[in-house]
Amino acid sequence: MRLAKFLAHAGVASRRAAEEIVREGRVTLGGDIVTDPAREADGSLEVRVDGKPVRAPEERAVWLVNKPPGVVSTAKDTHGRRTIVQLVHAPGTRLYPVGRLDADTTGLILLTDDGDLANRLTHPRYEVPKTYIAEVEHGPVRESSLRRLREGVELDDGVTAPAGARQIRAGVLELTLREGRKRQIKRMCAAIGHPVKKLSRVAFGPLRLGDLGEGHVRRLSPAEVQRLRDAAAPPAREPG
Ligand code: URA
């Protein structure tokens, strides 16, 4: 594997940022400074960035699931309900949901055994966009109300960050959030007088649900996992 890819997979930075880090002479391979991002790093020689050892990236699995209603998105449920983890057959792999969807929300949720990636994808700092389709009561929604959703709605835990909001057809909204508070879409829509009847997530960062059927799952390709890592990679200049 090329050195830049090795660093990106290890979660050091995005691929492009990793190339930059290498060119800057901050990376050593087996103790020698390497400035060519295409140098082979097969794990046999220790890699360090700014003197700090980098753990070799293992083959991590990320699954995309189209969550049906009634399935909970925690790894375990104390009430014996069906969990999202049970939908994926991956023997020997301990999978964790990336963030949460309410039990009655359907759509795109990711599962992974890469705890570090899962944490970064849900950390507010990286602002990974998530897109939802919400069917609301009392449609159509006025433009002035859509503007409130875009500019920020006062909720009991503070004003929401700028969001994408458009009406696809009367009473059906496409909303894109870069934060992920509990029941946020439902609370935002209720705050503008249009409670949610039905909610589905259709995109998470660079990934779209596409035509994957409800209850179906698919494992992401290495290229898709890389795009996901890039969406939640620390900036190049920040060590660690
Ligand atoms: N917002 C909600 O209100 N519920 C979800 O499940 C996800 C986002």
Side-chain angles (χ1 to χ4, degrees):
M1 181 186 301
R2 288 160 162 240
L3 186 53
K5 186 173 176 179
F6 179 101
L7 294 173
H9 279 201
V12 169
S14 70
R15 183 86 65 92
R16 195 168 305 159
E19 287 175 0
E20 201 49 40
I21 289 173
V22 176
R23 287 201 194 94
E24 286 169 354
R26 294 165 56 189
V27 179
T28 56
L29 189 60
D32 298 325
I33 291 178
V34 173
T35 53
D36 176 8
R39 263 288 281 282
E40 193 60 22
D42 60 6
S44 62
L45 293 175
E46 190 191 44
V47 176
R48 286 180 180 244
V49 175
D50 298 332
K52 282 195 223 142
V54 176
R55 174 181 59 85
E58 295 129 77
E59 256 311 303
R60 297 294 201 179
V62 185
W63 294 78
L64 190 154
V65 178
N66 184 352
K67 185 180 110 45
V71 172
V72 295
S73 60
T74 46
K76 276 202 187 110
D77 184 56
T78 43
H79 298 91
R81 289 175 294 186
R82 236 175 11 132
T83 73
I84 199 80
V85 174
Q86 292 166 349
L87 296 175
V88 179
H89 183 68
T93 314
R94 213 181 154 86
L95 294 173
Y96 301 95
V98 176
R100 298 270 182 271
L101 289 177
D102 299 335
D104 59 353
T105 301
T106 60
L108 196 167
I109 184 157
L110 300 174
L111 296 180
T112 182
D113 61 347
D114 186 336
D116 179 54
L117 178 64
N119 285 338
R120 282 191 285 117
L121 284 170
T122 49
H123 197 289
R125 162 178 190 213
Y126 299 110
E127 300 187 342
V128 177
K130 284 146 292 224
T131 301
Y132 299 84
I133 303 293
E135 272 182 52
V136 300
E137 309 257 17
H138 319 308
V141 178
R142 287 206 198 118
E143 182 52 37
S144 57
S145 301
L146 291 173
R147 205 175 317 125
R148 284 182 64 200
L149 293 174
R150 285 183 205 120
E151 290 173 359
V153 178
E154 178 90 47
L155 299 179
D156 53 14
D157 53 359
V159 178
T160 58
R166 68 186 186 100
Q167 190 155 214
I168 299 171
R169 54 177 196 277
V172 180
L173 307 182
E174 183 193 75
L175 301 163
T176 301
L177 302 186
R178 289 176 178 272
E179 51 182 353
R181 304 191 213 163
K182 235 177 166 190
R183 303 184 64 253
Q184 185 168 346
I185 298 275
K186 289 177 187 164
R187 290 191 292 139
M188 286 171 75
C189 291
I192 58 156
H194 294 278
V196 169
K197 287 194 281 191
K198 217 169 159 194
L199 184 62
S200 181
R201 183 157 67 191
V202 292
F204 189 112
L207 302 169
R208 296 201 69 83
L209 187 58
D211 53 13
L212 187 73
E214 211 168 84
H216 287 240
V217 307
R218 71 177 180 85
R219 189 169 169 174
L220 297 188
S221 68
E224 286 175 311
V225 175
Q226 188 55 50
R227 275 160 54 210
L228 207 52
R229 287 187 197 284
D230 289 351
R237 293 255 153 214
E238 231 165 52

